[in-house]
Amino acid sequence: MLQSIALILIVGMSLGWLFKKIKLPSLIGMLLTGIVLGPYVLNLIDSSILGISSGLRKIALIIILTRAGLSLDISGLKKIGRPAVMMCFIPASFELLGILLLAPKLLGVSILDAAIIGSVLAAVSPAVVVPRMVKLMEEGYGTKKGIPQLILAGASVDDVYVIVLFTTFISMAQGTETSVISFINIPISIVLGIGIGISVGFVLSKFFEKVHIRDTSKVLIILSLSFILVSIENVLETPITFSALIAIMCIGVAIQRFRNPIAKRLGLKYNKLWVGAEIFLFVLVGATVNINYLGNVGIKALVVIAGALIFRMIGVFVCLIKTDFNAKERLFTMMAYTPKATVQAAIGGIPLSLGLYCGDITLTIAVLAIVLTAPLGAFAIDITYKKLLK
């Protein structure tokens, strides 16, 4: 296990650095590290680490979402208004619609199977998008019009919306009765997540004001509470739930709102944590990629993915109608909202493990979407933001 951790860190950092040197996103090197070290090539990652891979990826996601909350400019987001709400649902809905139109004809699957494939693909990746939007906010690009804030907030809610849809479609495929509550739960889980996160953040702000402890201890407290929220969400079996990931981001937002000086210091601590978390996240996502599946993918699967992304970009364009974004800013927002990785890696294999007819093709398309869109989306953001944003 220790040897595997050493390999993940050393090789992941080395390839990440190498790709950065040749002007490519470092995450490509980390993904490649996971593919090469993973069970389908050299098989050098210990099975005990692969067994807790989803948990480690979740920890990395918690770190980056808290970091995003600590730096999210809510005042800039408020100015945007309607488009900010639309970005949470419309692009994913457009992408799902595109797959419903394309997949049955090109892949020969049923409408329900196409809906499952679409709900796996339709989520944008916070792991790719969020750190880049945080970087843009730190450098000041697009912040006057709230562009990185818009993308960051939308990407977080987008995932919750898509995962609830995925759970609903899986239940339908298994013959389980789906109630109206399943769909009502989508907005309720988001609202509850915001409320719980702000409440916890407010209490922590007051606690940090009264009790003077080291910033490192504050980070450990926030992380512990974040893990508890995720655990509670996982064990809840009630019809109405809450979104732990949104709650976690809102903890950071609340601390920034009520104790801004502390938020700035904690943001620096989380930046350091992200250095290691990023390596584990993308290396372990790469380790889930079965290259044997990639060899079986035909041109039709590529057409479905490309078509779905076009529908998604049209959805983003619709959200930005009647905004003061210029053509360059709209183009950047459309490109920045396409990368996929985390959600696809987490749920792409579930239909296959449940024995559903669409299991193989769902996993294949999910893997291909990660390999194509994560590096290309990150690359597009990294090389265009200085040219397209002010």
Side-chain angles (χ1 to χ4, degrees):
M1 183 176 177
L2 293 178
Q3 179 182 330
S4 297
I5 292 173
L7 283 172
I8 288 171
L9 290 172
I10 293 172
V11 181
M13 282 190 294
S14 300
L15 284 184
W17 175 84
L18 181 63
F19 274 79
K20 200 170 182 179
K21 275 292 182 183
I22 57 176
K23 306 299 181 184
L24 290 172
S26 59
L27 74 86
I28 301 179
M30 296 172 196
L31 282 170
L32 185 60
T33 299
I35 293 172
V36 174
L37 297 181
Y40 304 107
V41 183
L42 298 180
N43 195 24
L44 293 177
I45 299 179
D46 193 273
S47 58
S48 59
I49 293 179
L50 294 174
I52 59 170
S53 173
S54 62
L56 292 173
R57 294 200 304 268
K58 181 78 78 172
I59 291 171
L61 192 55
I62 286 169
I63 289 170
I64 190 55
L65 284 173
T66 310
R67 178 187 173 208
L70 289 167
S71 57
L72 182 62
D73 181 9
I74 293 297
S75 60
L77 199 57
K78 284 180 181 176
K79 292 177 185 175
I80 303 168
R82 173 191 55 83
V85 176
M86 293 178 68
M87 285 284 281
C88 300
F89 311 102
I90 300 299
S93 298
F94 266 70
E95 185 167 4
L96 180 58
L97 174 63
I99 293 172
L100 287 174
L101 293 174
L102 295 171
K105 294 179 181 178
L106 292 174
L107 304 176
V109 297
S110 68
I111 292 292
L112 181 55
D113 288 342
I116 293 172
I117 294 169
S119 60
V120 170
L121 279 189
V124 71
S125 173
V128 178
V129 172
V130 172
R132 280 162 176 76
M133 294 308 107
V134 172
K135 179 184 177 185
L136 262 62
M137 288 189 291
E138 289 171 351
E139 295 183 13
Y141 281 93
T143 52
K144 189 173 182 181
K145 291 187 179 179
I147 294 170
Q149 298 96 309
L150 172 71
I151 296 170
L152 193 155
S156 303
V157 180
D158 171 280
D159 283 3
V160 178
Y161 171 60
V162 168
I163 289 170
V164 173
L165 288 180
F166 173 76
T167 305
T168 303
F169 294 140
I170 286 290
S171 297
M172 292 170 66
Q174 291 179 300
T176 307
E177 187 177 341
T178 303
S179 65
V180 179
I181 293 292
S182 302
F183 293 96
I184 295 175
N185 186 46
I186 296 173
I188 292 176
S189 67
I190 292 168
V191 172
L192 285 176
I194 292 171
I196 291 169
I198 290 175
S199 301
V200 172
F202 174 76
V203 171
L204 285 175
S205 300
K206 295 301 177 184
F207 175 75
F208 294 153
E209 183 180 358
K210 301 291 183 184
V211 181
H212 298 286
I213 54 176
R214 296 180 60 181
D215 288 339
T216 303
S217 300
K218 294 185 180 82
V219 169
L220 292 175
I221 291 171
I222 296 170
L223 280 175
S224 300
L225 291 173
S226 300
F227 297 161
I228 290 170
L229 286 173
V230 171
S231 300
I232 292 173
E233 184 192 20
N234 290 339
V235 299
L236 273 182
E237 295 182 357
T238 55
I240 300 298
T241 58
F242 72 98
S243 169
L245 294 181
I246 289 179
I248 288 163
M249 188 171 77
C250 287
I251 290 173
V253 171
I255 293 173
Q256 182 202 157
R257 171 69 180 80
F258 298 112
R259 296 291 294 167
N260 190 262
I262 290 178
K264 288 181 179 179
R265 298 202 307 270
L266 293 180
L268 295 175
K269 293 285 185 181
Y270 271 91
N271 287 347
K272 294 174 182 177
L273 273 179
W274 176 244
V275 173
E278 181 184 35
I279 298 167
F280 273 97
L281 176 61
F282 287 110
V283 170
L284 292 174
V285 166
T288 66
V289 176
N290 186 344
I291 59 171
N292 297 320
Y293 278 114
L294 299 184
N296 299 326
V297 174
I299 190 68
K300 292 180 180 179
L302 291 171
V303 172
V304 169
I305 293 171
L309 289 178
I310 291 170
F311 270 84
R312 182 178 190 84
M313 293 174 80
I314 293 171
V316 175
F317 181 82
V318 169
C319 295
L320 300 181
I321 292 173
K322 293 186 178 179
T323 64
D324 61 349
F325 289 15
N326 61 38
K328 289 182 178 180
E329 291 163 344
R330 290 170 195 253
L331 176 61
F332 176 83
T333 307
M334 290 161 68
M335 289 191 302
Y337 223 53
T338 58
K340 303 174 185 303
T342 323
V343 174
Q344 288 72 27
I347 67 176
I350 291 177
L352 181 62
S353 67
L354 295 174
L356 298 182
Y357 174 77
C358 63
D360 277 320
I361 190 65
T362 302
L363 180 58
T364 302
I365 292 179
V367 167
L368 190 60
I370 293 171
V371 172
L372 290 176
T373 65
L376 288 176
F379 183 64
I381 294 170
D382 290 347
I383 67 168
T384 64
Y385 78 92
K386 290 184 179 179
K387 298 171 184 170
L388 299 180
L389 302 180
K390 294 180 180 178

